[in-house]
Amino acid sequence: MNELKTIRIGLAGCGTVGAGVCEIIANRADELAKRTGLRFEVVRVLVANPSKRRDVRLAPSVFTADADAFRGDDVDMVVEVIGGCESARDVVLAALAAGKPV
């Protein structure tokens, strides 16, 4: 059987919408793989406070307050779900400048 390619996601924001994205990726992994031929994995989450408790099934080491964490080779795609405009704009522009699809 062929191994599915894994898309490593950098998620900007982990409030209501970001937590929902994490839940969908975790709970519907097989359905997403059937539809897309890809596996998705959240590998980095940009938040204002990395030590805050969140109701998502991710290791604490995944959370960061450093927007430059999306520039590395360990992130294939950035998903922006930050509330507001300025921070979101900065994250999106930095990700695009690093050659990441957003």
Side-chain angles (χ1 to χ4, degrees):
M1 185 170 125
N2 290 340
E3 282 287 318
L4 296 176
K5 179 179 178 176
T6 299
I7 302 298
R8 299 164 301 178
I9 296 174
L11 183 63
C14 196
T16 302
V17 176
V21 170
C22 289
E23 182 180 334
I24 289 168
I25 289 171
N27 294 342
R28 297 186 181 178
D30 291 337
E31 181 183 343
L32 289 169
K34 284 179 187 175
R35 289 175 140 188
T36 65
L38 301 166
R39 288 265 176 215
F40 297 92
E41 177 184 6
V42 177
V43 297
R44 192 83 55 241
V45 181
L46 178 66
V47 292
N49 180 358
S51 61
K52 178 180 174 183
R53 179 158 176 353
R54 292 177 171 80
D55 291 329
V56 294
R57 293 182 288 172
L58 295 172
S61 60
V62 169
F63 295 94
T64 183
D66 180 9
D68 287 338
F70 292 160
R71 294 183 181 273
D73 290 338
D74 63 332
V75 173
D76 300 313
M77 174 192 306
V78 174
V79 175
E80 183 277 309
V81 290
I82 297 173
C85 297
E86 282 304 311
S87 295
R89 178 183 177 277
D90 294 344
V91 168
V92 168
L93 291 176
L96 291 172
K100 308 291 178 179
V102 179

